[in-house]
Amino acid sequence: MARPRKPLLSTDRIVRVARELVDAEGLAAVSTRRLAAELGVSGPSLYNHFGTKDEILEAVADSVSAQVDLSMFEGGDGRDWRTALHDWAVSYRAALRDHPNIVPVLARGPGRRPAGLRLADAVYGGMVDAGWPPAQATSIGALMRYFVMGSALGSFAGGFVDDASAYDPADYPHLGQAHLLAEQQEKIDERAFETGLRALLDGLAQQFAGAKEKA
């Protein structure tokens, strides 16, 4: 009887398993020894695909960037710049929300990561094509990245304990309902994100209209 074949080791498989490990246990859980054990291979075999642990984490981060929808910035899509930014931000946050443990790596910037660079190129190009000056388009890309990543780093509602005794009205007269926030975490965080996103886009729309009037 033929011996069962081990799954072939590939870059995609390494990244997928490393991403699952990061999602489940965080960045500190990833090591070449642990990853090799998860893959069922010897440690040195990983070096045929990646030179270091950092390279693996960079690849994991890029695989998450690749999940972000960029179709709204493609020619002929038809969405105006404000709608495009909104839809992109929602997709971006969804990807980060699904993989929050990799956000610290993504926060370093795209570096040489292809999907990360495509993301930056799409947003910048979309804003310039819409009529924003290049310097402002760069600032918008940075602003949106700060906002989306910040929203993915943690839950506001989840940061409050569900113990009413923690919020003595003598000390915190306005937090009488704070112990209820955690049970509504997803709804509150979604609403906060949409509120902030609309406020950002409203402010940008005012700037855009003002620039057009001066032109």
Side-chain angles (χ1 to χ4, degrees), residues 17-90:
V17 173
R19 185 174 60 237
E20 291 170 354
L21 191 56
V22 171
D23 288 344
E25 300 183 32
L27 295 173
V30 178
S31 67
T32 53
R33 177 179 296 180
R34 174 72 185 279
L35 192 53
E38 295 286 335
L39 289 161
V41 300
S42 63
S45 63
L46 294 177
Y47 295 112
N48 293 324
H49 301 271
F50 295 99
T52 65
K53 168 187 169 178
D54 283 344
E55 287 182 10
I56 295 172
L57 291 177
E58 287 287 315
V60 170
D62 211 38
S63 73
V64 173
S65 293
Q67 297 175 14
V68 181
D69 182 15
L70 301 177
S71 64
M72 64 286 296
F73 299 118
E74 295 174 357
D77 176 80
R79 278 172 275 191
D80 60 46
W81 68 266
R82 177 179 173 139
T83 304
L85 267 186
H86 175 277
D87 294 350
W88 167 75
V90 169

Side-chain angles (χ1 to χ4, degrees), residues 34-180:
R34 174 72 185 279
L35 192 53
E38 295 286 335
L39 289 161
V41 300
S42 63
S45 63
L46 294 177
Y47 295 112
N48 293 324
H49 301 271
F50 295 99
T52 65
K53 168 187 169 178
D54 283 344
E55 287 182 10
I56 295 172
L57 291 177
E58 287 287 315
V60 170
D62 211 38
S63 73
V64 173
S65 293
Q67 297 175 14
V68 181
D69 182 15
L70 301 177
S71 64
M72 64 286 296
F73 299 118
E74 295 174 357
D77 176 80
R79 278 172 275 191
D80 60 46
W81 68 266
R82 177 179 173 139
T83 304
L85 267 186
H86 175 277
D87 294 350
W88 167 75
V90 169
S91 177
Y92 194 10
R93 179 172 180 261
L96 300 189
R97 186 183 56 209
D98 290 343
H99 308 282
N101 291 335
I102 200 64
V103 172
V105 179
L106 286 164
R108 301 172 191 164
R112 296 178 182 273
R113 299 192 296 267
L117 290 170
R118 283 193 293 271
L119 188 153
D121 180 75
V123 176
Y124 175 79
M127 295 305 97
V128 171
D129 290 346
W132 283 97
Q136 282 293 88
T138 299
S139 296
I140 290 170
L143 167 68
M144 298 303 291
R145 193 168 73 88
Y146 296 153
F147 175 68
V148 175
M149 285 196 175
S151 75
L153 282 174
S155 165
F156 170 80
F160 292 85
V161 299
D162 60 357
D163 179 4
S165 67
Y167 309 102
D168 189 328
D171 297 320
Y172 316 109
H174 306 296
L175 296 182
Q177 301 297 308
H179 64 288
L180 303 176

